Amino acid sequence: MDSDRPAAGTATPGAADMGKLLQQYGCGPIRFTGSGDALYERHLMFDNVADRAAVGPRERYEAVARSVRDVLSQRWVRTEQTYERENPKRVYYLSMEFLIGRSLANNVLNLLLDPVVERAAVGKGLDWLAVLEQEPDAGLGNGGLGRLAACFIDSMATMELPAMGYGLRYEYGIFKQTIRDGWQHERPDNWLRRPDPWEIARPDEMVEVRLGCSFEVRGGTLGVVVGRPSSLLGVPYDRPVVGYGGKTVNTLRLWVAAAPDDFDFQAFSAGEFVSALAERLTAESLTRVLYPDDSTSMGQGLRFVQEYFLVACSLADLVRRFRRRNSGRGDPDWSALPAKAAIQLNDTHPGLAVPELMRILLDDVRLDWDQAWDLTRRTLAYTNHTLLPEALEKWPLPWLALLLPRHLEIILEINRRFLDEVRARFPDDGGRIGRVSLIEEGAERRIRMANLAIVGSHSTNGVAAIHSHLLRTVTVKDLAEMFPERFSNKTNGVTPRRWLLLANPPLARGITGAIGDGWITDLAELEKLKPLADDRGFRDTIIRAKREAKSRFADWLRSASGIVVDPDTIFDSQVKRIHEYKRQLLNALRVVVLYNRLRENPDMEMAPRTFFFSGKAAPAYHLAKTIIKFLNNLAGTIDGDPAVRGRLKVVFLPEYCVSLAERLIPATDVSNQISTAGYEASGTSNMKFMMNGALTIGTRDGATIEMAEAAGEENFFMFGLTAEQVAGSRSWYDPRWHYDNEPETRAALDLIFSEHFSRYEPGVFDPLRQTLLTGGDHYMHLADLTAYLEADRRLLELYADPAGWARKVVLNLAGSGKFSSDRTIAEYAAEIWDVKPCPVP
Ligand SMILES: *Cc1c(COP(=O)(O)O)cnc(C)c1O
């Protein structure tokens, strides 16, 4: 498709094409006076009511973004009209996180307007890159889970699927990370300080959410008023989701909490002015901030209400839509609900959708239990994202009793019926009841959200083959035995539009030059590059593209931060949330070993290397913050050591976010994916690196296993224990053995604990010794260090043979087609949702 689209960054169409392009989106010369230029001028002038000469770069960004929004708005309206008319089955993707990053360049690209806009920018003397820099990242997520949701809505729009994302419009996204003296500090991310040109508030489509209690200020503190129901309002803010080619423009609908206007007037007139207003403040605080915990459930009350709020608003909205579209004269035929709506739960965060949909069908629609249960299960589907026990959500029963008493009643009834069934099927297996129950017994009874989601839906999927396997055979084994047909795997993917076409123009150009641009919407076409692994000309193209991306990154880094890196060194990256299981510490130990080798033997030959680390730690995760401190001290010490200057450099890049990933990943030669086997559900940055021409050094974990299969194991640098070995050696893993018997391991640890990296801060890294050496290390860092070094040695050996290196890069690129989120979404659509494309004419 779209064969008339020029490859990224190539020559632009003539000026006359501007009007044609705009017309294609329904706003050509007739509607607006001539061109996008005019749109831009109008916005610049009228939106700000300011002298054109006086506006700053931010105003220019807003004017450009609003012009692009004008261009897409008719398509956006027409998309919704088409869905209203055709009434197809729709997908509703419920997620507490959408880590979308910036929108301007992505929307311009997906509308195929990039040549036009870039040329217009040149004509106006606009610095296009500076304009793009004005847009803050929409950081409405923590990491992989939120970024997956963003890639999925891109794919669904590109594939013309009638789909909608539902989430929360946090006023503060993931915190801003700064580094002071090596330590992480957090600052609020007030990303909405300036008006966001992409969002449209829709107060007319407000919904009401009822809670079983109220909140009140007494003596200066906020308390809960038991038994006095209250309500909140949910106001939708819509953002366009432009499919590639601009044919379909779907909607991401984010909810904001507001207080009803008729707040307690009685209290107000009785003189309790502050407490009457405090209730309002409570309501509006609900969507103020994203919880910054990745792979951990902090079990906080406000988070619980946030999750319910997302569910209640989204279900009210979609049920309202179902009623409107499916009621001829009388009531709708509710048995058609699963034929019209597929609701996907991104982890258990929106898991209260199970009792909420039951409540609607039982209490509002007045169906009987069996029919309500059948419809609920057939409409909902659940994606599991992690096997980490600390990430599994379990909400205290008393909270539901207070806030959602009716939902608690429904959950208990679901559980009663379910456990009856279990007893009937497994009469001699008393232990099973305790394991599968939706309630965890104990001093405080808690709802097991994963069990609720599995029992209350028709589909449970994991996000990579190994993850789905472990889910089925270990984590929820008993439930999988009862409902084997509900379990499946859907290996994650990422959108090649943002992560290749947009992020890496030189490489995208090289690929298109060789095989045409079909890969943009059918990434499996990269397979055609396979024979070119032996084509010297193509290998050179790829290597030149990499070199260009590295220079671009080095230039940006110098101008943005003053840090100087040499693009002729190997760029070796590990960028992701900082977590023990992801093992940034293992990577750091590798660097310390290499550093020791150079100190011992200054004349040894070693290709010069630059190691990049980037990632945020949850603010309450002290060990992760100490790891960041260590990485920064490592960087500082190595920088200050003349013995290794020009040969080894470590850079910790603060404020990891989508925009930084888009810059660094194309410039990377070596991707580190080194989690303890069995712990990384899928990973998605692994895929981004693979399709950007990096080679992977990694463990047999998550989707990295499937990546190695696709590229050929011989083109990968796999090392370390398998998930089975990890599970089996837990009981006898002895870090001391590695210290006592592996000289390089010992020397690295000794150097760290001699305070070599903490001369003025003695003891600061004691917590690292505690985890690494004293048995408490669940993630078995030392068990994999020598294997890592061995894989690293093989990698350097290959690097010394540029043609051999380039060949493997091409074979990796050629094998990366499977990891498009288009492929993932095609599987969800066919095997879970049963939805079909609904093209917009
Ligand atoms: C892709 C991405 C992630 C996920 O990275 P993993 O290495 O898979 O954990 C996290 N954060 C950002 C900003 C990303 O773009």
Side-chain angles (χ1 to χ4, degrees):
M1 65 179 274
D2 303 307
S3 52
D4 57 349
R5 180 181 190 284
T10 53
T12 57
D17 293 351
M18 179 66 153
K20 201 179 89 193
L21 270 163
L22 290 175
Q23 225 155 14
Q24 189 184 328
Y25 297 100
C27 49
I30 305 154
R31 201 163 299 270
F32 299 106
T33 49
S35 69
D37 288 17
L39 288 178
Y40 171 74
E41 295 294 340
R42 283 170 53 135
H43 281 298
L44 203 55
M45 164 112 192
F46 296 118
D47 295 359
N48 300 291
V49 193
D51 178 358
R52 208 197 160 296
V55 299
R58 168 70 201 195
E59 286 74 20
R60 279 196 267 278
Y61 154 70
E62 282 177 29
V64 175
R66 289 224 155 82
S67 309
V68 173
R69 199 182 84 184
D70 291 344
V71 169
L72 66 80
S73 58
Q74 294 213 356
R75 255 348 257 183
W76 196 5
V77 169
R78 201 173 300 166
T79 300
E80 187 51 37
Q81 284 170 341
T82 304
Y83 298 163
E84 285 280 309
R85 188 178 63 245
E86 304 287 325
N87 194 22
K89 182 171 183 179
R90 299 204 204 198
V91 180
Y92 297 104
Y93 196 82
L94 267 63
S95 178
M96 286 289 281
E97 305 189 7
F98 286 88
L99 189 52
I100 47 191
R102 289 175 172 158
S103 294
L104 176 55
N106 197 247
N107 287 344
V108 165
L109 179 88
N110 282 2
L111 290 165
L112 315 182
L113 286 174
D114 44 332
V116 180
V117 171
E118 279 165 38
R119 205 204 44 248
V122 171
K124 302 203 147 298
L126 257 187
D127 180 349
W128 180 237
L129 292 179
V131 168
L132 296 178
E133 281 303 296
Q134 289 298 315
E135 180 173 11
D137 265 47
L140 309 184
N142 275 284
L145 173 145
R147 185 53 232 174
L148 184 77
C151 284
F152 277 8
I153 55 176
D154 176 279
S155 283
M156 291 189 283
T158 296
M159 297 162 76
E160 306 187 299
L161 292 176
M164 187 146 172
Y166 278 123
L168 297 182
R169 179 184 176 271
Y170 303 106
E171 209 174 308
Y172 296 89
I174 186 67
F175 62 84
K176 292 273 181 200
Q177 180 194 55
T178 54
I179 303 293
R180 242 187 297 139
D181 300 327
W183 292 101
Q184 165 176 300
H185 290 263
E186 300 95 25
R187 283 189 301 112
D189 163 38
N190 192 1
W191 72 293
L192 290 170
R193 188 174 318 151
R194 310 279 216 120
D196 186 301
W198 302 112
E199 65 178 17
I200 317 273
R202 303 216 185 269
D204 292 350
E205 297 187 52
M206 199 145 65
V207 298
E208 190 183 356
V209 174
R210 292 166 193 280
L211 297 173
C213 62
S214 313
F215 302 92
E216 192 176 83
V217 176
R218 281 194 224 109
T221 56
L222 200 64
V224 169
V225 186
V226 181
R228 193 180 78 190
S230 64
S231 64
L232 291 173
L233 296 176
V235 184
Y237 282 68
D238 289 351
R239 308 176 72 87
V241 183
V242 182
Y244 185 72
K247 297 195 181 77
T248 291
V249 181
N250 281 337
T251 299
L252 171 59
R253 175 159 280 194
L254 303 178
W255 298 99
V256 171
D261 283 332
D262 57 348
F263 66 94
D264 202 336
F265 265 104
Q266 220 156 1
F268 192 80
S269 48
E272 295 173 22
F273 178 78
V274 170
S275 61
L277 276 173
E279 179 153 344
R280 201 182 176 93
L281 281 181
T282 318
E284 287 164 358
S285 303
L286 186 61
T287 48
R288 193 87 74 206
V289 61
L290 165 78
Y291 276 91
D293 305 294
D294 192 58
S295 302
T296 315
S297 171
M298 294 296 271
Q300 314 226 28
L302 188 68
R303 165 76 178 196
F304 175 68
V305 185
Q306 281 186 340
E307 291 183 356
Y308 178 63
F309 180 73
L310 167 66
V311 161
C313 292
S314 310
L315 290 197
D317 193 49
L318 71 90
V319 164
R320 177 172 61 192
R321 187 172 303 115
F322 175 80
R323 273 187 205 275
R324 191 174 63 230
R325 293 306 312 143
N326 298 280
S327 317
R329 295 229 179 72
D331 279 346
D333 173 10
W334 288 93
S335 68
L337 182 65
K340 291 296 175 189
I343 301 174
Q344 191 68 35
L345 309 178
N346 197 22
D347 212 313
T348 59
H349 313 153
L352 288 169
V354 175
E356 176 69 3
L357 189 50
M358 283 297 283
R359 185 196 63 75
I360 292 169
L361 296 175
L362 290 169
D363 300 356
D364 298 350
V365 180
R366 308 215 139 268
L367 301 183
D368 64 31
W369 181 278
D370 289 337
Q371 197 188 358
W373 181 236
D374 175 62
L375 296 178
T376 295
R377 281 206 24 246
R378 286 164 54 211
T379 304
L380 299 177
Y382 157 59
T383 303
N384 174 282
H385 281 271
T386 171
L387 309 174
L388 295 177
E390 66 267 32
L392 296 181
E393 290 191 298
K394 292 170 188 172
W395 293 114
L397 236 72
W399 292 10
L400 277 98
L402 195 66
L403 233 77
L404 304 170
R406 177 60 177 145
H407 295 74
L408 178 57
E409 209 168 73
I410 290 170
I411 291 171
L412 293 175
E413 179 60 12
I414 294 172
N415 200 36
R416 189 187 67 76
R417 290 168 180 248
F418 170 58
L419 294 183
D420 280 350
E421 195 187 318
V422 178
R423 270 184 286 264
R425 277 179 63 181
F426 304 90
D428 306 320
D429 190 354
R432 180 177 291 260
I433 294 284
R435 293 195 301 272
V436 300
S437 173
L438 307 189
I439 315 288
E440 182 181 82
E441 302 294 338
E444 188 183 49
R445 303 174 79 206
R446 299 192 293 173
I447 314 281
R448 293 168 170 154
M449 295 303 291
N451 293 28
L452 176 63
I454 294 167
V455 171
S457 68
H458 67 94
S459 161
T460 294
N461 74 281
V463 290
I466 182 181
H467 166 68
S468 297
H469 174 75
L470 292 172
L471 181 68
R472 218 175 349 212
T473 55
V474 182
T475 316
V476 293
K477 180 166 180 281
D478 299 289
L479 287 167
E481 275 168 21
M482 291 191 66
F483 313 113
E485 72 291 347
R486 289 186 198 178
F487 284 76
S488 74
N489 173 247
K490 302 285 170 281
T491 299
N492 282 167
V494 301
T495 169
R497 270 76 63 185
R498 182 179 291 267
W499 293 110
L500 180 45
L501 183 59
L502 180 63
N504 199 342
L507 183 58
R509 246 189 328 261
I511 296 169
T512 298
I515 61 170
D517 67 359
W519 60 271
I520 297 170
T521 51
D522 179 8
L523 204 65
E525 289 202 4
L526 292 185
E527 191 74 25
K528 293 183 192 161
L529 295 175
K530 213 168 172 179
L532 299 182
D534 296 311
D535 177 322
R536 192 151 151 203
F538 184 68
R539 285 200 311 250
D540 287 348
T541 303
I542 296 305
I543 293 311
R544 269 200 306 276
K546 177 61 73 182
R547 175 58 218 230
E548 193 178 331
K550 289 171 78 172
S551 297
R552 249 163 65 141
F553 179 78
D555 291 347
W556 170 80
L557 186 62
R558 193 181 38 233
S559 68
S561 70
I563 298 174
V564 176
V565 294
D566 177 0
D568 286 323
T569 62
I570 301 176
F571 281 8
D572 177 301
S573 303
Q574 188 180 16
V575 291
K576 47 185 74 241
R577 286 300 286 247
I578 310 292
H579 204 291
E580 286 163 274
Y581 85 79
K582 292 178 182 278
R583 294 201 297 193
Q584 281 90 359
L585 261 186
L586 177 61
N587 191 348
L589 288 173
R590 174 184 61 142
V591 175
V592 174
V593 169
L594 299 178
Y595 175 55
N596 263 337
R597 285 181 192 166
L598 281 176
R599 285 175 3 121
E600 292 251 308
N601 184 0
D603 298 325
M604 82 182 276
E605 245 186 72
M606 189 193 278
R609 305 178 77 169
T610 306
F611 296 93
F612 293 99
F613 291 89
S614 195
K616 294 177 184 178
Y621 190 171
H622 299 292
L623 191 63
K625 289 180 138 177
T626 303
I627 294 171
I628 290 177
K629 169 68 175 164
F630 182 66
L631 296 172
N632 279 290
N633 279 28
L634 183 63
T637 304
I638 288 180
D639 265 349
D641 190 338
V644 297
R645 188 153 302 146
R647 310 184 68 185
L648 214 57
K649 186 170 178 67
V650 176
V651 179
F652 185 92
L653 302 162
E655 182 53 19
Y656 186 52
C657 60
V658 171
S659 295
L660 179 56
E662 287 169 11
R663 293 180 198 284
L664 178 64
I665 290 173
T668 292
D669 298 300
V670 180
S671 159
N672 286 266
Q673 306 297 335
I674 57 174
S675 52
T676 314
Y679 282 89
E680 186 73 88
S682 160
T684 47
S685 78
N686 45 1
M687 305 166 183
K688 301 168 196 165
F689 282 109
M690 185 188 196
M691 61 182 70
N692 276 280
L695 296 186
T696 304
I697 182 166
T699 46
R700 290 180 178 79
D701 202 15
T704 305
I705 297 174
E706 292 160 69
M707 285 164 39
E709 273 168 31
E713 281 250 3
E714 68 282 8
N715 301 310
F716 248 67
F717 296 87
M718 302 288 267
F719 69 89
L721 300 180
T722 62
E724 272 177 344
Q725 289 169 328
V726 166
S729 53
R730 265 239 178 290
S731 50
W732 54 261
Y733 169 62
D734 176 16
R736 279 310 304 193
W737 184 93
H738 295 277
Y739 180 82
D740 291 338
N741 292 282
E742 296 166 0
E744 291 201 311
T745 303
R746 183 169 57 248
L749 290 170
D750 284 347
L751 190 65
I752 297 168
F753 302 131
S754 74
E755 311 289 3
H756 183 80
F757 303 103
S758 43
R759 218 157 291 160
Y760 307 106
E761 304 154 291
V764 68
F765 298 130
D766 286 354
L768 304 185
R769 179 204 288 268
Q770 286 294 319
T771 14
L772 291 176
L773 273 180
T774 41
D777 181 14
H778 260 64
Y779 305 103
M780 304 174 69
H781 287 80
L782 300 191
D784 278 342
L785 180 55
T786 51
Y788 190 17
L789 291 163
E790 167 57 21
D792 193 70
R793 189 193 57 71
R794 283 187 276 132
L795 193 106
L796 285 189
E797 211 172 88
L798 181 69
Y799 192 76
D801 165 20
W805 181 277
R807 191 174 165 276
K808 285 202 195 315
V809 166
V810 174
L811 291 173
N812 269 267
L813 187 54
S816 69
K818 169 176 169 185
F819 304 100
S820 165
S821 46
D822 300 346
R823 187 269 312 150
T824 315
I825 287 299
E827 291 177 8
Y828 276 88
E831 296 161 23
I832 298 178
W833 302 332
D834 191 25
V835 292
K836 306 275 180 312
C838 180
V840 181

